[in-house]
Amino acid sequence: MSTIPENIPEEVPRIGNGFTRGIGLWFIRLIGWRFDGDLPAEKKLMVALAPHTSNWDFVVAMPMILALRVKISFMMKKEAFFFPFKRLFMWLGGLPTDRSSPRGLAQQMAKAYRNNDRMWMAITPEGTRKKVAKWKTGFLRIAYAADVPILLIAWDFPNKRIKVDSLYRPTGDLDTDMQEIQRRFSKYQGCRPEKQTDFIEGN
């Protein structure tokens, strides 16, 4: 069985080439992981990745991204975008952010979505590898401001897979959306399950 889907919708933002894809595939096979699910034909969306409990999450995720050749954008402080790294960070999908801006991160990222024909931006809702009582709402606020759906992708360590769970279209109600998204992620187990946020129905 293939570890990576062969047919990626043309709407999906792409990066890399056959060489970088080969590196990703080689590493995925080496560690025995697979990508489970199909990517949606969406030009713009938010990718929510959970449960995020360990640095191993990105060790697994990065070769998957290389193998899929999907360009995943991510937020970085604007101060990091200096010569000679600026061009590299931009190519990789880095989005410069100004945390001192009165417009706020949500509006900055909404502008980035508007300025790009195709953009998939990834965020880990926990915001940290440590156990937290509540997830941060930033990813939802950005999705609201940019008017984009949210693709839920999970690290499923017991089954050694990265799983596409579902494409969620936010209602605009923060509590309702957060509850439903956490419910959908609650069936997956991360690398360090003791660090996962406890899901309580109705909270």
Side-chain angles (χ1 to χ4, degrees):
M1 181 175 63
S2 176
T3 56
I4 293 292
E6 297 295 330
N7 298 317
I8 305 296
E10 64 179 18
E11 291 85 354
V12 176
R14 307 305 298 275
I15 194 172
N17 52 38
F19 177 72
T20 55
R21 174 180 165 82
I23 292 174
L25 286 170
W26 174 82
F27 193 82
I28 290 166
R29 289 165 182 157
L30 179 68
I31 62 177
W33 274 64
R34 62 192 170 92
F35 188 89
D36 187 357
D38 297 316
L39 298 176
E42 297 279 347
K43 292 182 178 180
K44 301 181 183 184
L45 53 73
M46 166 69 67
V47 180
L49 295 162
H52 178 38
T53 62
S54 167
N55 282 328
W56 284 105
D57 298 342
F58 294 111
V59 173
V60 171
M62 287 310 298
M64 291 286 183
I65 292 171
L66 288 176
L68 288 164
R69 292 190 57 205
V70 175
K71 184 173 183 178
I72 301 294
S73 296
F74 53 93
M75 291 188 292
M76 293 180 64
K77 293 181 180 179
K78 66 175 185 178
E79 289 78 12
F81 288 80
F82 59 86
F83 182 84
F85 304 109
K86 179 178 180 179
R87 187 168 299 223
L88 173 63
F89 290 152
M90 296 294 286
W91 180 80
L92 289 172
L95 299 170
T97 61
D98 181 2
R99 295 182 182 275
S100 65
S101 172
R103 298 186 64 212
L105 284 176
Q107 293 304 318
Q108 290 179 55
M109 293 302 100
K111 181 178 180 180
Y113 272 105
R114 291 193 298 269
N115 290 342
N116 285 276
D117 292 332
R118 290 177 171 82
M119 183 172 136
W120 284 23
M121 175 184 173
I123 288 183
T124 55
E126 297 97 331
T128 177
R129 296 183 303 276
K130 299 177 182 178
K131 186 179 179 69
V132 294
K134 294 182 178 181
W135 285 4
K136 296 181 180 295
T137 60
F139 76 104
L140 276 172
R141 297 182 188 280
I142 292 172
Y144 295 159
D147 191 25
V148 296
I150 303 172
L151 182 63
L152 311 185
I153 299 183
W155 283 283
D156 184 18
F157 271 79
N159 296 302
K160 299 188 77 171
R161 63 177 181 165
I162 287 184
K163 170 66 175 174
V164 176
D165 181 89
S166 54
L167 186 68
Y168 182 76
R169 298 193 182 274
T171 67
D173 183 291
L174 194 62
D175 292 335
T176 298
D177 291 335
M178 184 66 82
Q179 174 76 8
E180 176 58 20
I181 289 171
Q182 285 189 301
R183 184 191 69 78
R184 295 189 189 189
F185 273 122
S186 66
K187 57 182 173 285
Y188 301 106
Q189 183 175 304
C191 181
R192 301 285 300 276
E194 71 276 9
K195 291 186 176 183
Q196 289 182 218
T197 302
D198 297 323
F199 172 71
I200 301 175
E201 191 77 39
N203 278 10

